[in-house]
Amino acid sequence: MELPLFTRHVIKVMTNLLLFLLVFSATTIANSTLSSSSSKPSVVKIGALFTLNSVIGRSAKPAIMAAVHDVNANTTILPAIKLEVILHDTNCSGFLGTVEALQLMENDVVAAIGPQSSGIAHIISQVANELHVPLISFGATDPSLSSLQFPYFIRTTQNDYFQMHAIADFVDYYKWREVIAIFVDDDNGRNGVSVLGDALAQKRAKISFKAAFTPAAPKSDITDLLTRVNLMESRIYVLHVNPDSGLEIFSIAKKLGMMTSSYVWIATNWLPSVLDSLENVDTMNLLQGVVAFRHHTPDTNLKRSFISRMKSLKDKETKNFNSYALYAYDSIWLAAHALDVFLNEGGNISFSSDPVLHNTNGSMLHLSSLRVFNGGQQFLQTILRTNFTGISGQIQYDTDKNLIHPAYDILNIGGFGSRRIGYWSNYSGLSVIAPEILYEQPPNTSTSNQQLYSVIWPGETTNTPKGWVFPNNGKPLRIAVPNRVSYLDFVSEDKNPPGVEGYCIDVFEAAINLLPYPVPRQYMLFGNGDINPDYNNLVYQVSQNKFDAAVGDITIVTNRTRFVDFTQPYMESGLVVVVPVKEIKSSAWSFLKPFTAQMWCVTAALFLFVGIVVWILERRHNDEFRGENTVSNLGRVVLIIWLFAVLVITSSYTASLTSILTVQQLSSEIEGIDSLISDTQPIGIQEGSFAKKYLIDELNIAPSRIVSLKNQDAYIDALTRGPKNGGVMAIVDELPYIEIFMSNTNCQFRIVGQEFTRSGWGFAFQRESPLAVDMSTAILQLADNGNLQKIHDKWLLRNVCVAQVSNDQSYKLSLSSFWGLFLIIAIACFLALTVFFIKVMCQYKKFSTGHEIQPHQMNCFKGLIDFMDKREEDVKEIFRQKNTTKSDEQSTSHI
C-alpha cells in the first residue's frame, strides 16, 4: 500500500537527520581520536626478546630491568611517560623466537630489544621490517645483519666484521700464514668465518680448513672433527662458537692433547663472555695459553658504578656480569633517548592495520592483530642519529649502522685468570695503549707501530709457535724429481733407496735433516726418461697439487714464482754463451802481433822524434854525442820520460806476446750474447730448459733459430759441425751445466762474454707452504757450516778450464791504449825545445850587441844558425872576454 505523501516526506527528513547525526558523531569521534593520538602517551611499550637462561641472557635481563628503572626515574628523559618493557623468551630456537616475536608485536611495542642470537635475528628482522618496528640487538654480531636487507636492525654491540679483522691482524703480527677455523655451522658462524677469510687474504694468509659442526652437535661429532683437524698441518685454531657450548670444545681438545706446546688457540668474544660470568677453577685449567678477543669498553666511573650496583643486587640470578650486560643497558637508553627526541619533534605513536596481514579461513595465527608502527621509519632515523655516552662507551653510528670506534681487548688466559696483552682498534691496529687515548693522536697503522705484550702459549712457553707441523695423517710428502737424461751428476734415478741420487738430492736431504721435525717423503720421477722433462710443466704440476714439492736443478724464474714458492737458492746460476775454440799456430811473424800497424808506426815515429830532440839539446854541450851519455839538463828530462814510456811499451808488448803464444783462439765471431742476438745462425739449448722461452720472449730471437739438444754428445756434435754443416753457432745454457760440459770435453769449448741472467736453483713447494720457509733456513745453515760446499765438491768438483780464449784482435795493443803516454812525451819534448830556443835567442841577442852586428845581419837566419852551432863553452868564453875588455876600458878612463 502506498504511503501518504506527507508521511513519505517525514520519513525522508528523519532519514537525512539520522545520517547527519551519524556523520557528525563519526567526525567527532575521529577528531577526538586524532587529538588524543597527537598528544604524548603516558605509557610507551618496549619489547625485549632473547634467551633468558643463557650466558648472555642471565647478564642482560637484570641490566635491562635496571635501565628501565633508571629511565623512569630520570626526569629529563621522557618526562611524565612511563617506559614499560615486555619480556619474551626465545629459548635458543629460531622457530620459538619467531612465535615469541609475533606475540610481542601484538602489544604495539615501538621497539624490540634483542635478540642475542644472530640466527634468530635473521628471522625476526623480517617481522621488524614488515611492522616498521626497530630491532635493537645487544648480542647479534653477524656481519651480514648490517646489510640493506635488514633496514630496521640496529645493534649496540660490535659487528663481527671488525673482530675478524682484529684476528687477521693478530695472525699477521706473528707471521702465520694458515689458520683452521672451527665454528658452528649457523648464520653467525658461517658469515663470521667468511669475513675472516677475506681479512686474512688481505694479509697474504688464508683459512686452510673450515671445521664446521652443527648447533647442539653431540660430543662424538666434535671429537671426530677435532681428531681430523689434529691430523692437519696448521696449528693455529680460530674458535668461533656459541658461549653456551664453547667450553666443550676445549674439554675435548685437552683430552686429545691439543692444548700443549706448538698449538695456538684464538677464541672470539664468546669466551670472555663465559669467563666473565663464571668462577670455576676447573674451567680455567682447560684454557691455559688461550688468546681471546673481548669487546673493549672504556674503564669509566659510570661503568664501574654500574658493575658495582649489579653485584650488590639482592636475590640476583647471576653472580657476575659480562660485557653484554653493558650493551643491554645501553640499548634501553638508546631507545629512550631516541624516543624522547622523536616525541619532542612531533612524532606520533600510532599503529595501523597491515593490509597484507589478514586472517584466512580457519587460521589460528591472528595475523590481523599485528599492526604497523606508523612512525617507525622516522623513529628509526632518530635512533641512527642519536649520540650519547653510555656505560659501554660512545653510542654513535656510522653510515653502515655500525658503532664508531670498534675496539677489542686481547686477553691471554693463564693461571686463575687472564691478562690483557694489548688492544685492537680500526683506528690504530694492535697497540698496548688504550684506544681512547690513541683517538686523540693521528692514526698510525704501520707495521712498525703494531705492538703487543708477550704471550704465554699453551704448554707454558713464551716462544712463539711456528704455527704448523708436518701433517700426521699418514701421507708422505710427494716429491717430484726430474728424470734427466743428461748431467746426471745433479739428479738421476738410483736403484737403491730413496730411488734417486745426485747433488740436488744430497742438498735436499741434508736440509731436511736439519728440520726439528720428521718429514716423511716419497720421491717420484717426473718424465719418461727419454728426454729431459719440461721444467715449467713440472712446477705447474706442483701448483695443481699433483705433487707437494719438486726437488732438482730447478731454476727460480719469474713466471714460476707465480705458481709455487721457492726456497732460498742453494746454487747460483745464470745463462752463458759457449762457442768452440782452437789452438793458435805460431808463425815467423808472431812478434808483430802484439801491436796494431798504427801502433807500430806511431812508436817508430816517436823514436825518431825523441832522438832528434835529444840531439838538438845535446849537440852544443857534447861534440862526441852518440847517445851514450847526456850532459844538458833538458836532454836528461826528455830522456827520463822517454825511458819510462819505453818501459811501459816494452812490458805491454811482452805481456801481449806471451798471451798470444799461449792462449786458444775462438773459431767463431760470437763474442757474447749481443753478437749472438744480431747474428742469424742457429743457437743450441738444453732440452726442457727455460732458456728457450727466455731467448724468444725476452731477447726476441726467432724460434726457428732455436735448436734443442738432448745431451752433452749432442752439444759436442752441434758445435763441432757448426752452422754450415747442420750444427749451431753457439750454445746457451746455465753456468753449472756448462762448467761440467767444458770439464768433460777437456776445455775444447769456452764461455764468451758474461752471464746475462742472474738466478739460482731452489726447491719448489706449493704456495703458502711453511716448509719453504723452514727449508730456506736449513739451506742457509748448510752454507754457514760448510756442508753445502762439501756436497758440491763431492759431486761437481772438476778440472777448471782456466786457459783464456781470444779472437784475432783481442790481444792486439792499439794506439788508444797509449795515446796519453805519447802525449806526455810530446809535451815534454815541446817544452824542452821551447826552453832551449829561448835560451839560445837570449844568448844570441847579447852576442850580437857586443860585436856591433848590424840589424840586417842580426836578422839573418844564417847567422842564428851559425851561433847555434857554436859550442856552449865557446859562447861562455866569448862572454867572459867581453866582460874583461869592458872592465879594462873602465879602468883606463878613470886614470
Side-chain angles (χ1 to χ4, degrees):
M1 181 180 66
E2 185 177 358
L3 293 175
L5 181 61
F6 174 78
T7 303
R8 292 200 303 270
H9 280 291
V10 170
I11 292 174
K12 185 176 181 180
V13 171
M14 292 300 293
T15 301
N16 292 334
L17 179 61
L18 181 61
L19 290 173
F20 173 80
L21 290 175
L22 290 174
V23 173
F24 177 80
S25 299
T27 303
T28 304
I29 292 172
N31 290 336
S32 176
T33 302
L34 182 60
S35 175
S36 174
S37 62
S38 62
S39 63
K40 293 183 179 181
S42 60
V43 176
V44 176
K45 298 177 182 179
I46 292 180
L49 192 67
F50 55 92
T51 302
L52 301 180
N53 187 23
S54 64
V55 171
I56 296 177
R58 286 189 290 269
S59 290
K61 179 182 176 181
I64 289 176
M65 302 310 296
V68 172
H69 175 272
D70 293 345
V71 170
N72 289 331
N74 193 308
T75 58
T76 61
I77 300 295
L78 297 176
I81 298 177
K82 180 182 179 181
L83 190 65
E84 184 178 304
V85 64
I86 302 174
L87 289 175
H88 278 252
D89 191 353
T90 60
N91 289 305
C92 289
S93 169
F95 174 74
L96 294 178
T98 304
V99 174
E100 293 294 331
L102 294 174
Q103 293 178 353
L104 179 64
M105 296 302 176
E106 292 179 352
N107 297 289
D108 290 344
V109 295
V110 298
I113 307 300
Q116 70 191 55
S117 168
S118 296
I120 298 176
H122 276 271
I123 301 174
I124 298 177
S125 291
Q126 304 293 343
V127 178
N129 292 348
E130 184 67 27
L131 301 179
H132 296 181
V133 176
L135 195 62
I136 306 175
S137 175
F138 55 84
T141 57
D142 180 4
S144 66
L145 287 170
S146 293
S147 65
L148 298 176
Q149 181 184 1
F150 309 109
Y152 282 87
F153 178 84
I154 307 167
R155 55 181 141 217
T156 54
T157 186
Q158 297 294 349
N159 187 337
D160 269 347
Y161 171 88
F162 301 106
Q163 180 171 213
M164 296 307 168
H165 278 265
I167 293 174
D169 282 351
F170 182 82
V171 170
D172 182 63
Y173 179 81
Y174 288 102
K175 307 303 181 184
W176 297 318
R177 287 293 170 260
E178 292 186 6
V179 305
I180 293 178
I182 305 174
F183 61 99
V184 178
D185 194 10
D186 58 11
D187 290 326
N188 184 58
R190 286 191 302 271
N191 295 330
V193 169
S194 176
V195 173
L196 176 61
D198 294 340
L200 288 172
Q202 295 177 9
K203 305 293 182 181
R204 294 198 66 187
K206 68 177 181 179
I207 299 176
S208 60
F209 182 70
K210 295 181 179 180
F213 59 92
T214 60
K219 184 177 180 180
S220 59
D221 289 353
I222 298 176
T223 302
D224 293 342
L225 180 65
L226 291 184
T227 301
R228 182 183 176 190
V229 165
N230 197 29
L231 295 176
M232 297 181 180
E233 186 176 271
S234 177
R235 283 292 185 263
I236 313 298
Y237 303 139
V238 177
L239 192 58
H240 186 50
V241 296
N242 299 324
D244 298 283
S245 60
L247 291 179
E248 185 71 23
I249 305 291
F250 286 112
S251 177
I252 297 172
K254 189 173 182 64
K255 293 179 182 179
L256 294 176
M258 300 173 67
M259 299 299 296
T260 58
S261 59
S262 81
Y263 289 88
V264 175
W265 287 86
I266 304 172
T268 53
N269 184 72
W270 70 268
L271 182 56
S273 300
V274 173
L275 298 181
D276 290 342
S277 305
L278 299 177
E279 290 182 357
N280 191 322
V281 176
D282 293 335
T283 299
M284 300 306 297
N285 290 335
L286 293 175
L287 306 173
Q288 299 297 301
V290 174
V291 173
F293 285 73
R294 178 178 64 190
H295 295 145
H296 173 72
T297 54
D299 190 16
T300 61
N301 292 332
L302 188 62
K303 172 184 171 181
R304 288 192 292 268
S305 175
F306 172 78
I307 293 176
S308 176
R309 173 187 170 189
M310 290 291 100
K311 290 183 177 180
S312 65
L313 291 176
K314 295 181 180 180
D315 301 327
K316 60 184 181 181
E317 299 177 1
T318 305
K319 295 182 179 180
N320 297 298
F321 296 86
N322 53 43
S323 60
Y324 289 104
L326 309 180
Y327 296 125
Y329 182 88
D330 283 344
S331 297
I332 295 293
W333 274 100
L334 172 63
H337 278 288
L339 189 58
D340 186 57
V341 174
F342 172 76
L343 294 174
N344 290 335
E345 292 179 349
N348 179 26
I349 298 179
S350 63
F351 297 86
S352 61
S353 298
D354 189 343
V356 178
L357 302 174
H358 61 275
N359 293 330
T360 59
N361 294 333
S363 175
M364 302 295 292
L365 295 177
H366 303 291
L367 296 178
S368 60
S369 62
L370 300 175
R371 300 199 298 171
V372 177
F373 179 22
N374 296 326
Q377 179 62 31
Q378 181 183 351
F379 184 44
L380 172 65
Q381 298 305 319
T382 304
I383 293 175
L384 292 177
R385 69 172 187 267
T386 300
N387 183 2
F388 72 98
T389 301
I391 59 176
S392 64
Q394 187 177 1
I395 305 299
Q396 182 181 354
Y397 292 94
D398 60 18
T399 56
D400 295 323
K401 298 191 304 181
N402 294 317
L403 290 174
I404 64 172
H405 299 323
Y408 292 85
D409 298 334
I410 305 177
L411 308 178
N412 183 207
I413 301 172
F416 298 104
S418 62
R419 64 186 183 93
R420 185 165 49 211
I421 60 173
Y423 306 88
W424 180 92
S425 71
N426 69 333
Y427 186 79
S428 57
L430 301 172
S431 174
V432 295
I433 302 174
E436 50 268 22
I437 298 176
L438 295 176
Y439 294 149
E440 300 175 358
Q441 304 173 6
N444 188 349
T445 57
S446 62
T447 303
S448 60
N449 195 53
Q450 306 300 291
Q451 294 180 350
L452 290 174
Y453 292 122
S454 61
V455 178
I456 300 177
W457 305 101
E460 298 184 355
T461 177
T462 57
N463 296 326
T464 302
K466 65 184 178 184
W468 74 281
V469 295
F470 197 83
N472 187 23
N473 55 10
K475 295 181 180 179
L477 197 70
R478 300 166 300 171
I479 303 176
V481 177
N483 191 9
R484 296 190 58 87
V485 297
S486 62
Y487 299 108
L488 301 182
D489 292 329
F490 294 109
V491 60
S492 63
E493 185 179 6
D494 186 21
K495 295 182 180 180
N496 300 320
V500 288
E501 65 176 356
Y503 167 73
C504 302
I505 302 301
D506 281 7
V507 172
F508 184 79
E509 287 289 330
I512 282 285
N513 293 333
L514 291 178
L515 299 181
Y517 47 86
V519 181
R521 52 201 177 274
Q522 177 184 1
Y523 292 103
M524 307 170 69
L525 290 174
F526 181 81
N528 56 19
D530 295 329
I531 59 174
N532 290 333
D534 186 341
Y535 279 54
N536 287 333
N537 187 30
L538 170 61
V539 171
Y540 180 74
Q541 296 300 322
V542 174
S543 69
Q544 296 300 304
N545 198 29
K546 297 294 181 64
F547 304 103
D548 297 308
V551 172
D553 46 341
I554 306 172
T555 307
I556 304 172
V557 293
T558 303
N559 66 314
R560 294 174 182 173
T561 58
R562 298 189 181 102
F563 306 106
V564 297
D565 286 346
F566 281 95
T567 62
Q568 173 80 14
Y570 62 88
M571 171 175 276
E572 294 183 356
S573 180
L575 292 177
V576 294
V577 178
V578 178
V579 296
V581 294
K582 64 181 180 180
E583 295 289 342
I584 295 179
K585 297 181 180 180
S586 298
S587 67
W589 303 99
S590 295
F591 70 93
L592 295 177
K593 291 184 178 181
F595 288 166
T596 62
Q598 184 186 38
M599 180 66 181
W600 280 117
C601 293
V602 173
T603 303
L606 201 59
F607 263 100
L608 295 176
F609 176 68
V610 172
I612 294 172
V613 170
V614 172
W615 177 79
I616 292 174
L617 297 177
E618 286 294 320
R619 68 180 306 280
R620 298 186 72 200
H621 297 271
N622 189 354
D623 288 337
E624 298 178 355
F625 175 66
R626 296 292 185 271
E628 290 84 0
N629 188 24
T630 55
V631 177
S632 69
N633 293 329
L634 292 175
R636 290 173 178 173
V637 171
V638 172
L639 200 56
I640 290 174
I641 295 176
W642 172 244
L643 290 177
F644 172 75
V646 170
L647 176 63
V648 172
I649 294 173
T650 303
S651 301
S652 301
Y653 173 86
T654 303
S656 179
L657 181 60
T658 302
S659 299
I660 290 174
L661 295 177
T662 57
V663 302
Q664 295 172 312
Q665 183 177 345
L666 297 176
S667 60
S668 71
E669 298 178 354
I670 302 300
E671 299 179 2
I673 187 62
D674 292 333
S675 57
L676 190 62
I677 293 173
S678 60
D679 200 87
T680 59
Q681 300 297 334
I683 302 171
I685 62 163
Q686 184 181 169
E687 202 165 36
S689 172
F690 78 98
K692 180 177 181 179
K693 182 176 179 60
Y694 181 85
L695 293 176
I696 296 174
D697 295 346
E698 301 297 331
L699 302 183
N700 297 319
I701 293 178
S704 59
R705 294 182 58 193
I706 308 300
V707 179
S708 295
L709 302 175
K710 183 176 181 179
N711 50 34
Q712 295 185 46
D713 292 337
Y715 277 26
I716 297 173
D717 180 64
L719 288 173
T720 302
R721 287 190 289 118
K724 295 182 180 180
N725 299 313
V728 296
M729 175 66 73
I731 286 178
V732 174
D733 206 348
E734 294 182 76
L735 183 60
Y737 302 124
I738 296 305
E739 288 178 342
I740 292 181
F741 171 68
M742 292 192 304
S743 177
N744 292 341
T745 56
N746 297 320
C747 304
Q748 297 177 16
F749 307 94
R750 289 293 183 272
I751 297 172
V752 291
Q754 303 295 324
E755 291 181 71
F756 55 93
T757 64
R758 290 287 183 177
S759 57
W761 290 356
F763 305 127
F765 291 88
Q766 294 182 10
R767 292 300 297 269
E768 308 298 339
S769 172
L771 260 179
V773 177
D774 288 357
M775 286 293 288
S776 294
T777 303
I779 290 172
L780 291 176
Q781 293 178 2
L782 288 176
D784 292 341
N785 60 28
N787 288 335
L788 189 61
Q789 184 62 42
K790 293 178 181 178
I791 298 173
H792 178 276
D793 295 343
K794 171 187 173 182
W795 288 97
L796 307 178
L797 188 61
R798 298 287 190 276
N799 296 326
V800 180
C801 296
V802 296
Q804 298 175 338
V805 296
S806 71
N807 55 28
D808 292 337
Q809 302 296 326
S810 60
Y811 286 95
K812 286 183 177 294
L813 299 176
S814 64
L815 181 62
S816 60
S817 301
F818 297 94
W819 70 267
L821 182 62
F822 289 167
L823 180 62
I824 293 174
I825 296 173
I827 292 174
C829 293
F830 175 76
L831 292 176
L833 288 176
T834 302
V835 172
F836 172 77
F837 283 116
I838 291 174
K839 179 181 178 182
V840 169
M841 291 301 295
C842 292
Q843 290 178 342
Y844 182 62
K845 181 178 180 181
K846 184 178 179 181
F847 172 78
S848 300
T849 303
H851 290 74
E852 296 182 353
I853 298 176
Q854 298 299 324
H856 68 277
Q857 294 178 331
M858 181 178 177
N859 293 330
C860 182
F861 179 74
K862 183 178 182 301
L864 177 60
I865 295 300
D866 292 340
F867 180 79
M868 291 176 59
D869 193 45
K870 294 182 180 292
R871 296 177 64 252
E872 186 71 20
E873 293 182 359
D874 294 340
V875 174
K876 291 179 179 180
E877 181 62 28
I878 292 172
F879 288 154
R880 281 197 300 270
Q881 293 178 0
K882 178 180 178 181
N883 291 333
T884 302
T885 304
K886 186 175 181 179
S887 297
D888 294 340
E889 291 177 352
Q890 290 177 352
S891 299
T892 305
S893 63
H894 285 301
I895 297 174

